[in-house]
């Protein structure tokens, strides 16, 4: 599973860094159709909960992107909800799931 392109490996690195900075449950990163990247971590407050992937996509959307090419989530969870990517970017967008060390566990396509 470690046969990631350099650009997808960069997403895993960004997601790891986002998670580590705040000691969050998850870190995520997405790459838009122009090659720009956006990273985020889980937000878990009493009144609001956003997954890291939801927030990364929201950050991309708020920057005016027209599409996404790929995503990555660093998590201890056994699966990742990729619906936010699917709803915005459509089908066949790869989302890498990696553990805290950056080891790729699987790739889910929307």
């Amino acid at each position: 599973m470690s046969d990631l392109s350099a650009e997808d490996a960069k997403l895993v690195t960004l997601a790891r860094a986002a998670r580590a900075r705040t000691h969050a449950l998850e870190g995520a990163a997405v790459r838009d159709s122009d090659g720009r990247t956006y990273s985020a971590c889980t937000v878990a407050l009493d009144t609001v909960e956003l997954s890291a992937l939801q927030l990364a996509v929201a950050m991309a959307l708020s920057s005016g992107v027209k599409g996404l090419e790929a995503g990555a989530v660093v998590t201890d969870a056994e699966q990742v909800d990729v619906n936010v990517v699917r709803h915005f970017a459509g089908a066949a967008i790869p989302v890498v799931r990696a553990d805290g060390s950056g080891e790729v566990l699987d790739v889910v396509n929307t």
Side-chain angles (χ1 to χ4, degrees):
M1 281 270 141
S2 63
D3 295 336
L4 292 181
S5 70
E7 290 300 310
D8 288 348
K10 177 182 172 182
L11 290 178
V12 172
T13 299
L14 290 170
R16 285 182 69 206
R19 181 183 189 208
R21 269 192 308 276
T22 62
H23 306 287
L25 293 176
E26 294 180 343
V30 296
R31 183 175 59 251
D32 71 16
S33 52
D34 292 328
R36 294 174 297 198
T37 57
Y38 306 85
S39 62
C41 65
T42 306
V43 173
L45 304 172
D46 291 339
T47 56
V48 136
E49 273 195 44
L50 293 170
S51 74
L53 189 57
Q54 289 171 330
L55 187 52
V57 170
M59 291 172 67
L61 285 168
S62 70
S63 295
V65 305
K66 303 293 184 226
L68 296 177
E69 290 182 348
V73 178
V74 172
T75 183
D76 295 328
E78 294 194 18
Q79 57 185 337
V80 174
D81 182 355
V82 297
N83 282 325
V84 67
V85 176
R86 181 180 299 113
H87 289 300
F88 173 63
I93 305 298
V95 178
V96 175
R97 181 175 64 95
D99 66 14
S101 71
E103 181 180 339
V104 175
L105 302 171
D106 62 4
V107 178
V108 178
N109 288 297
T110 60

